[in-house]
Amino acid sequence: NTAGRFWAEDLGFSVRGLLFNDRYARRLEPDFAGVSVAFIRQGSSAAAGQLQRNDIITRLNQTPVTDLAQFE
């Protein structure tokens, strides 16, 4: 299983769509929506904000994030 990815250059991190394995490992509902943090550049705003690899983002600026396209 692979998921699409998006690189947020200005913030210094990338996200990918959620996979079955993400939901299964965290015991989330099959329709749980969001994106998973895939990579964080050292010294970036994301690193300074203590974002961690594998964090799940469900909201961005108070707007729900349901998938990769919406995050972009």
Side-chain angles (χ1 to χ4, degrees):
N1 285 335
T2 61
R5 294 178 183 262
F6 176 76
W7 173 249
E9 177 66 38
D10 55 336
L11 299 173
F13 74 103
S14 68
V15 294
R16 62 172 174 76
L18 291 179
L19 301 171
F20 170 81
N21 292 345
D22 297 316
R23 292 178 181 96
Y24 183 79
R26 292 176 174 91
R27 296 188 169 106
L28 302 172
E29 295 295 322
D31 61 349
F32 187 88
V35 294
S36 180
V37 176
F39 175 81
I40 300 167
R41 185 177 62 225
Q42 289 184 341
S44 67
S45 297
Q50 298 182 346
L51 198 62
Q52 299 289 314
R53 188 170 181 266
N54 295 321
D55 280 352
I56 295 179
I57 297 173
T58 59
R59 297 181 74 76
L60 186 62
N61 294 328
Q62 304 305 318
T63 302
V65 173
T66 57
D67 57 25
L68 189 61
Q70 190 174 32
F71 180 86
E72 288 182 44

